[in-house]
Amino acid sequence: MSLLFRKNPGQSSTRARVSRDVAARLEANPFIKRAPAQGAQIYLFHNYLRDEDCDMLMGLIDSNRRPSTLLSASQDPEFRTSESCDLNRHADEVRPIDEGLAALLGVPPEHGETMQGQRYAPGQQFRAHCDYFHEGESYWPAMQAQGGQRTWTTMIYLNDVEEGGATWFPRAGIRIAPRRGTLLIWNNMLPDGSPNYDTLHEGMKVVSGTKYVITKWFRENPWVQGSFTSYYGNVRMT
Ligand SMILES: O=C(O)CCC(=O)C(=O)O
Ligand SMILES: [Fe+2]
């Protein structure tokens, strides 16, 4: 077989379609701006979330937080030092925000993982990582069985941070400072659906103040098992 026609490892037509469809939808939205990043599709929607919703989510994070975890153990004890909490998608106050993100991207809500809150006190961080799964790792079969690969990431900054706490994409060459209500969206895939290493990113150390964000990851297949009724009615989003 000619090398020219060899598939890129991880190439997938489903993921390629999701890459294309979601990007087209975001680019057609006048409130969303493409960030000046190299080699990655990164978007910003300022003032996406209302102040009262930011406050409500920060309250939930404060009362439910636990140490953040990693899928694979790191040699570095400082790799992810923040706290996290799961935000119940069925709770009346969470549901519109959770499903609103799926609707904005045009992805079926059942493809979304549980929305998570993250809290970083001064000195806390999440070192450089990619959100997509490494298909050679021991966790992959379990991930494959529930939703498969991560496609898009959405993240909302719930407050301004006095100093530090930017989200840095060292390969794409962009650093986003936390700003209350801003939604950051990026595609973890390349146009052919294979993982994009240029999405490597870091939640930089908070220097002063406390950083609160929510993160929500979308999968290529349904992550919620069983029947699912959407807040928007039982309507498919794509
Ligand atoms: O806190 C940040 O800026 C990044 C968070 C992040 O990368 C994640 O939760 O996967
Ligand atoms: Fe991340």
Side-chain angles (χ1 to χ4, degrees), residues 65-223:
R65 63 200 157 100
R66 51 170 166 77
S68 304
T69 54
L70 293 168
L71 266 179
S72 328
S74 168
Q75 301 287 75
D76 173 5
E78 292 291 298
F79 196 84
R80 190 183 190 193
T81 51
S82 52
E83 293 174 295
S84 300
C85 87
D86 287 337
L87 294 160
N88 177 8
R89 71 198 313 143
H90 302 294
D92 288 345
E93 68 275 31
V94 172
R95 193 160 193 181
I97 299 168
D98 184 315
E99 290 193 19
L101 290 169
L104 186 76
L105 267 60
V107 173
E110 64 271 25
H111 287 226
E113 293 180 33
T114 298
M115 194 161 80
Q116 279 194 11
Q118 324 285 353
R119 182 188 189 274
Y120 302 78
Q124 294 183 336
Q125 63 183 356
F126 190 176
R127 285 208 162 125
H129 65 280
C130 290
D131 288 351
Y132 56 76
F133 300 124
H134 297 278
E135 299 186 14
E137 292 278 341
S138 57
Y139 61 68
W140 172 242
M143 297 302 139
Q144 196 175 25
Q146 191 184 356
Q149 187 54 278
R150 281 180 173 157
T151 53
W152 290 78
T153 297
T154 51
M155 210 182 112
I156 306 173
Y157 300 95
L158 302 177
N159 68 329
D160 296 336
V161 178
E162 243 164 81
E163 196 184 343
T167 309
W168 179 36
F169 292 81
R171 294 178 60 86
I174 184 168
R175 204 176 282 209
I176 294 117
R179 192 162 133 195
R180 183 165 161 98
T182 291
L183 165 64
L184 172 66
I185 308 168
W186 70 87
N187 183 8
N188 293 295
M189 306 285 111
L190 285 162
D192 70 357
S194 59
N196 183 357
Y197 186 48
D198 287 342
T199 59
L200 185 79
H201 59 281
E202 169 162 332
M204 297 177 77
K205 206 173 259 189
V206 168
V207 178
S208 67
T210 304
K211 172 183 170 190
Y212 293 82
V213 298
I214 65 102
T215 40
K216 186 169 173 71
W217 298 284
F218 291 91
R219 300 292 192 92
E220 59 185 318
N221 298 314
W223 183 82

